[in-house]
Amino acid sequence: MADSDSSALYPPASARVASAAAEADATNLGRHYPHRKLLVGLGLMMVASFGLALLFCGGQCPIRSERFLVTYGYNFFYTTGLWLANGYPSEWLNRKADWTGHPLRRFLITLTFSLVMSLLVIVLVDGSFRVFYHHQPLSTLTWRPFVLPLLITVVVSLFLHSRAFLMGWREAAINTERLQKENAQAQADSLRRQLDPHFLFNSLNALTSLVEEPDPARAVGFIRQLSQVYRYVLESREQEVVSLAEELRFVEAYVALQRTRLGEGVQVSLDVPPGAALETLLVPPLAVQLLVENALKHNATSRHDALRISVRLDVAARCLTVRNSRRPRRLAEGESTGLGLRNLAARYAFLTTQPLTITETETEFIVVVPVLELA
C-alpha cells in the first residue's frame, strides 16, 4: 500500500504528460467533434497513466496489486484533471481574448488561469486521496507537495501556450498578406476592366455619331460623362471603400454612356433612398458598376425586348441587390475572363465577413452584396 507522502512523487511527471497531451489534443484532435475529442483525450490519459504507474512501481508490484492500482489512480486523476483544467479553458480564452490583438493581456490571463486551475486540480486530487484512501484529516494537507508539480505544470503550459501564440501570429500574418494580395489583384483587375479599350472605343464611336448630329449639347454632355467616369476610376484606385452615393453617381454616368450607345435596348432602374443616407454607407469602388457591366457584357440588348437591370438598396438589411433579366449572348474569345465576380468576392472578404451571394434562375441573374456602414 502506498503511504501518504508517496503522492508527492507522482504529480511532476503527470503534469508533463497532461500538458503535452493538452497541447496535442487542443490543436489537432477533433476540433469540430467535441465528443470524439473528449474520448480520445481520456484514452490517451489512461495509456499515459498506465505507463507512469509501471515506471514508478519499477516492476516490483504486480499489475493487479493494490499499490499498482493506487499509483495508477493518482496518475490518471492528475493527468486527466490537469489536461481538462488547461485545455478547455484555453479554448474558451481563444474566443474571448485574442493572442494577436492583446498579446500581453492574453499572456497574463493564461498564466493566471493555468496557476489557479492547476492548483485546484492538485489540491482536489491529493486531498481526496488523503481523506478517502489514507483516512487522514484534510488538515494534514500542506502546501509543500504542491510546489514542484505546480511549477512544472506552469512552465510546460507557458511553453506550449507561447508556441500556440507564435503559430497563431504566423497564421494571422500569412492570412493578412494573402488577403491584401487578393485585394490588390482584384482592384487592379477591376481597374483594368474599366479602362478596357473596348469600352473606350465604343464610347468614342458613340461620340463620333453625336458630333455628326446637329445637337452639340448632347455631345458635350456625353464628353462630360465620359470624363466623370474616368476621373472616378483614377481617383478611387487607391481607396478600399467609397461612399455608396459616389458609387451610384458613377454608375449613373456609366449607364448614361451605355444608353447613348444602346438606346432603348437597356433599361436601368435605381431604387435607393435619396440624400444623406447614402453618404454613410460604403462599398468597394467600382463594385456596383462591375455588376451592371457584367449584365451588359453577358446579355443581348434589343429595342423590342430590352435588357432590364435593377439596383435596389435595403437599408435595414445593409445589402444592395443588382438583378438583371437573362438574354444570354455568345461572347468572343477573350472578351470575358470570368474573374470579375470572384475578384469582387475576394475584395469583400478583405473588408467583411458578410458574404456576396449569387442566384441564377432561368429568367434572372441576381447578385446581393453587403453594404458597409461608416463607424
Side-chain angles (χ1 to χ4, degrees):
M1 180 182 299
D3 61 330
S4 60
D5 294 331
S6 63
S7 61
L9 297 175
Y10 307 127
S14 304
R16 292 190 184 94
V17 175
S19 298
E23 168 68 5
D25 190 80
T27 56
N28 298 319
L29 294 176
R31 182 171 298 175
H32 302 292
Y33 304 93
H35 298 298
R36 177 191 171 191
K37 171 183 174 179
L38 180 61
L39 293 175
V40 172
L42 289 175
L44 291 175
M45 296 303 104
M46 293 176 67
V47 173
S49 300
F50 187 83
L52 289 172
L54 289 175
L55 178 65
F56 290 139
C57 287
Q60 299 179 2
C61 56
I63 293 179
R64 296 184 179 181
S65 66
E66 184 178 6
R67 179 184 176 188
F68 182 89
L69 293 177
V70 171
T71 304
Y72 175 83
Y74 267 114
N75 283 281
F76 177 77
F77 285 110
Y78 268 119
T79 53
T80 303
L82 292 174
W83 163 56
L84 294 174
N86 287 275
Y88 284 91
S90 176
E91 293 181 1
W92 181 80
L93 285 174
N94 287 336
R95 296 190 295 267
K96 299 295 182 180
D98 186 28
W99 274 113
T100 56
H102 304 280
L104 180 59
R105 185 176 71 178
R106 173 58 196 273
F107 174 82
L108 295 176
I109 292 175
T110 298
L111 178 61
T112 303
F113 261 78
S114 182
L115 282 169
V116 173
M117 299 303 292
S118 298
L119 182 60
L120 287 175
V121 169
I122 294 172
V123 171
L124 180 62
V125 173
D126 195 77
S128 298
F129 269 87
R130 284 177 182 269
V131 172
F132 296 108
Y133 179 72
H134 298 291
H135 304 292
Q136 296 180 359
L138 197 59
S139 59
T140 61
L141 195 65
T142 61
W143 60 269
R144 291 187 179 182
F146 307 147
V147 174
L148 185 58
L150 187 60
L151 179 62
I152 293 176
T153 300
V154 170
V155 170
V156 174
S157 178
L158 288 178
F159 170 78
L160 296 177
H161 282 298
S162 299
R163 179 179 176 275
F165 162 71
L166 293 175
M167 296 298 291
W169 190 283
R170 178 175 176 272
E171 183 178 357
I174 292 174
N175 288 338
T176 300
E177 183 178 356
R178 176 178 58 81
L179 289 174
Q180 288 177 341
K181 183 177 180 181
E182 288 180 353
N183 185 57
Q185 289 176 340
Q187 289 180 344
D189 181 78
S190 181
L191 291 174
R192 180 189 63 78
R193 287 164 57 83
Q194 305 315 316
L195 295 171
D196 186 82
H198 292 292
F199 172 72
L200 179 60
F201 292 157
N202 290 334
S203 298
L204 292 177
N205 287 335
L207 179 60
T208 301
S209 301
L210 292 176
V211 171
E212 293 175 350
E213 293 180 359
D215 187 2
R218 192 178 177 194
V220 171
F222 185 91
I223 293 173
R224 287 176 177 171
Q225 288 169 335
L226 184 61
S227 173
Q228 180 182 348
V229 165
Y230 276 86
R231 183 184 298 113
Y232 177 82
V233 168
L234 294 175
E235 289 177 351
S236 64
R237 64 182 178 179
E238 300 296 333
Q239 302 179 47
E240 291 184 352
V241 291
V242 295
S243 72
L244 184 57
E246 291 180 82
E247 178 72 9
L248 292 180
R249 284 194 292 268
F250 165 63
V251 169
E252 289 177 340
Y254 175 80
V255 169
L257 294 176
Q258 295 290 8
R259 290 201 64 186
T260 300
R261 182 171 65 89
L262 301 173
E264 297 301 320
V266 58
Q267 300 292 333
V268 180
S269 64
L270 295 178
D271 182 9
V272 296
L278 302 181
E279 297 292 342
T280 60
L281 302 178
L282 306 174
V283 292
L286 311 176
V288 182
Q289 184 275 337
L290 172 65
L291 299 177
V292 174
E293 180 198 22
N294 194 61
L296 292 171
K297 177 174 290 187
H298 291 85
N299 295 277
T301 58
S302 169
R303 292 183 179 179
H304 304 290
D305 189 10
L307 172 66
R308 290 179 171 79
I309 304 172
S310 72
V311 179
R312 181 178 181 275
L313 174 65
D314 187 338
V315 178
R318 292 292 185 268
C319 67
L320 186 139
T321 303
V322 179
R323 66 173 68 220
N324 63 269
S325 54
R326 293 193 62 195
R327 306 283 187 273
R329 71 180 183 90
R330 297 185 63 181
L331 299 177
E333 185 177 355
E335 185 175 355
S336 176
T337 62
L339 296 176
L341 290 177
R342 277 185 287 176
N343 284 339
L344 181 60
R347 294 168 70 188
Y348 266 104
F350 181 73
L351 298 170
T352 179
T353 57
Q354 302 176 33
L356 177 150
T357 61
I358 300 173
T359 305
E360 188 173 2
T361 68
E362 293 185 358
T363 59
E364 284 189 316
F365 188 85
I366 307 166
V367 181
V368 180
V369 296
V371 175
L372 310 177
E373 190 171 11
L374 186 63

